[in-house]
Amino acid sequence: MNQQQTSTSAAPHGADVRRGPFRAGERVQLTDERGRMNTVTLTPGTAYHTHKGFLNHDLLIGAPEGSIVESNVGQQYQALRPLLSDFVLSMPRGAAVVYPKDAGQIITMGDIYPGARVVEAGVGSGALSISLLRAVGDNGFLHSFERREEFADIARGNVETIFGGPHPAWKISLGDFQDQVVAQEEPGSIDRVVLDMLAPWECLDAVATVLAPGGVWINYVATVTQLSRTAEAIRADGRFTEPDAWESMVRGWHLEGLAVRPDHRMVAHTGFLMVTRRLADGVTGLNLKKKSKGEFSAEDLNAWTPEAVGEPAVSDRKLRRAARDASSTVQTKGTKSKAAGEVPATENQEH
């Protein structure tokens, strides 16, 4: 086996679908002359239609990434593979996604490294799962827990789309995290725990059981009350270090000649992140801060429902449609070229 073959066989999973010319079945990001972006799935014999004409997919299949192509009326498009941040914001979804700015913080501040054993709960549409899989690599392990089968199907389709198939380091299970993780993972066998859920404090014992001493537990919550209650529960438990919390905000800048200024819009609050670490068995955490003397009322304890914290309800019909959209891209990659004149459905998504 020559050096090139060895390098190819050793490439991380999914790397091959990010290189080379455009292929049938993959998603391509088209940007027009006004900067508007659309994501399409390349299908032989079909076209991307707008009110300004159409662009044949066959012009892109086999073309190098970064090509400029023209529609039938001369409209130019810049064609690139979507970055992870682009893919996350345009992929089929059944639940709100973890934004790229938060996913990047989770990977870095949670110290997710290649080869790590990670569990996560609250898979949603799979956006964070994709980032975690990229971080742990083929030799790591990510076990994702999701309560709703529809969300699991959507996440599975999105993960397989971006990696070109099932990822060797990923396992997804249905059920409540606090019950399933202790049943499926050995005590002290997990390096990192990532929770994106309404009531992470309910999982405190489960996290303490499976997380190795020194391991990191990172929580993603939407509201101040969730953040406060989780922090107080961690402090009262004593098996973890003093929690550290923050939020990140991203503001873009307008760049045009001398008109350089902040954008009028920004991605502000999306959620709070909180990190703590597991102490050794039998050790009680240092009392670094004065503990709160406040008590939670019965009303506080019963207020943690999706409706109470402003999470919009998602209909079963929408979930089924998103699951079909997520899986259709994977299926498209295995199809052969269509006969001339056949025009199958084309996926156009604007973001």
Side-chain angles (χ1 to χ4, degrees):
M1 182 180 292
N2 60 36
Q3 185 176 0
Q4 184 178 1
Q5 290 175 322
T6 302
S7 175
T8 301
S9 63
H13 188 78
D16 56 331
V17 300
R18 305 291 299 174
R19 302 188 178 114
F22 292 126
R23 294 176 285 271
E26 68 174 320
R27 294 163 69 94
V28 173
Q29 181 177 277
L30 300 176
T31 306
D32 66 18
E33 295 165 331
R34 298 186 63 181
R36 293 172 299 195
M37 293 185 293
N38 288 273
T39 302
V40 301
T41 300
L42 296 181
T43 306
T46 65
Y48 165 62
H49 289 269
T50 72
H51 65 287
K52 291 186 176 181
F54 61 88
L55 174 68
N56 288 318
H57 287 198
D58 291 335
L59 292 176
L60 288 167
I61 297 174
E65 185 173 7
S67 295
I68 304 293
V69 291
E70 290 188 359
S71 70
N72 65 312
V73 294
Q75 175 76 33
Q76 290 191 320
Y77 294 94
Q78 172 185 281
L80 294 164
R81 290 185 174 92
L83 300 177
L84 175 58
S85 57
D86 301 319
F87 178 83
V88 163
L89 297 177
S90 67
M91 69 186 190
R93 65 179 70 177
V97 299
V98 174
Y99 268 68
K101 72 180 182 71
D102 294 319
Q105 290 274 307
I106 289 170
I107 298 300
T108 301
M109 304 303 288
D111 190 35
I112 314 294
Y113 57 88
R117 291 180 55 82
V118 181
V119 296
E120 68 159 336
V123 175
S125 301
L128 182 58
S129 303
I130 294 170
S131 293
L132 292 172
L133 286 169
R134 283 189 166 188
V136 302
D138 294 3
N139 296 322
F141 175 68
L142 174 65
H143 194 170
S144 303
F145 295 86
E146 175 55 54
R147 298 176 63 182
R148 301 187 62 172
E149 186 174 2
E150 300 94 334
F151 286 167
D153 290 339
I154 295 168
R156 188 179 293 109
N158 287 328
V159 168
E160 293 185 9
T161 294
I162 199 165
F163 287 108
H167 196 285
W170 194 37
K171 178 181 179 181
I172 185 167
S173 298
L174 293 174
D176 290 330
F177 172 81
Q178 58 266 44
D179 298 326
Q180 293 298 320
V181 72
V182 294
Q184 299 191 44
E185 300 297 339
E186 295 293 328
S189 65
I190 299 301
D191 300 308
R192 304 291 185 260
V193 174
V194 183
L195 300 186
D196 173 15
M197 58 173 58
L198 288 173
W201 58 86
E202 295 179 350
C203 303
L204 200 148
D205 284 336
V207 173
T209 298
V210 300
L211 194 58
V216 177
W217 176 16
I218 185 162
N219 292 289
Y220 179 74
V221 294
T223 69
V224 171
T225 46
Q226 289 171 292
L227 183 68
S228 174
R229 185 167 180 191
T230 305
E232 292 303 322
I234 289 172
R235 290 186 180 121
D237 181 80
R239 288 176 287 183
F240 297 89
T241 61
E242 177 68 18
D244 184 27
W246 73 96
E247 66 174 331
S248 63
M249 301 183 183
V250 175
R251 182 175 70 176
W253 279 68
H254 174 84
L255 301 174
E256 186 175 351
L258 296 178
V260 179
R261 54 167 175 75
D263 283 340
H264 297 306
R265 296 181 179 181
M266 65 178 295
V267 181
H269 176 76
T270 50
F272 297 104
L273 293 169
M274 181 174 63
V275 167
T276 185
R277 300 185 69 178
R278 178 71 159 92
L279 296 171
D281 290 337
V283 174
T284 300
L286 296 176
N287 188 8
L288 300 180
K289 296 182 180 180
K290 184 178 180 181
K291 300 295 179 67
S292 171
K293 301 301 182 182
E295 296 292 336
F296 294 104
S297 67
E299 183 179 359
D300 293 330
L301 298 177
N302 295 325
W304 302 100
T305 64
E307 294 80 8
V309 297
E311 183 175 308
V314 182
S315 68
D316 292 339
R317 181 179 179 183
K318 179 180 179 181
L319 291 175
R320 290 193 297 269
R321 184 171 64 250
R324 290 195 301 269
D325 292 343
S327 62
S328 64
T329 306
V330 182
Q331 297 170 358
T332 302
K333 291 185 177 182
T335 61
K336 297 181 180 180
S337 299
K338 305 296 181 182
E342 182 181 354
V343 184
T346 303
E347 176 189 2
N348 297 327
Q349 293 187 348
E350 184 172 355
H351 62 284

